[in-house]
Amino acid sequence: MKHYDADGNFIGESRPGWLGSMENYDANGNKTGESRPGWLGSMENYDANGNKIGESRPDCFGNMNHYNENGHKTGHSDKGIFGGWNHFDE
């Protein structure tokens, strides 16, 4: 999955890893981190050194809430009309 900023510039990509994980890379192909499945549909996020930097948890409507490593909410993602996701910062 390729990632673009709001101006349409390529900024990186995510590639499937082992056991449902996603490995994240910057625009130059350097690994920046990964997301691993957690409990009850959550995803735990790690930096390139394996340090946990946050997690995303589903809400009761199928959207995702995002939290930092201290458990503070940093944003949310809502399902888009055409199947994508809309991301918002808190």
Side-chain angles (χ1 to χ4, degrees):
M1 175 185 319
K2 298 196 182 290
H3 304 285
Y4 299 88
D5 66 14
D7 297 321
N9 300 311
F10 176 70
I11 56 171
E13 67 181 305
S14 297
R15 302 178 198 150
W18 292 92
L19 302 172
S21 68
M22 289 295 283
E23 296 180 357
N24 306 311
Y25 298 87
D26 64 17
N28 297 318
N30 300 313
K31 187 173 180 179
T32 59
E34 69 180 285
S35 298
R36 302 175 195 155
W39 291 94
L40 302 172
S42 68
M43 291 296 284
E44 297 179 353
N45 305 311
Y46 298 86
D47 65 16
N49 297 319
N51 300 310
K52 186 173 179 182
I53 56 172
E55 67 181 288
S56 298
R57 299 181 212 143
D59 67 12
C60 59
F61 301 107
N63 301 314
M64 295 295 280
N65 294 314
H66 310 292
Y67 301 89
N68 65 15
E69 66 274 8
N70 297 318
H72 296 105
K73 187 173 179 184
T74 60
H76 67 279
S77 298
D78 299 334
K79 291 182 180 180
I81 297 171
F82 301 108
W85 289 87
N86 297 309
H87 304 286
F88 302 93
D89 294 333
E90 292 294 311

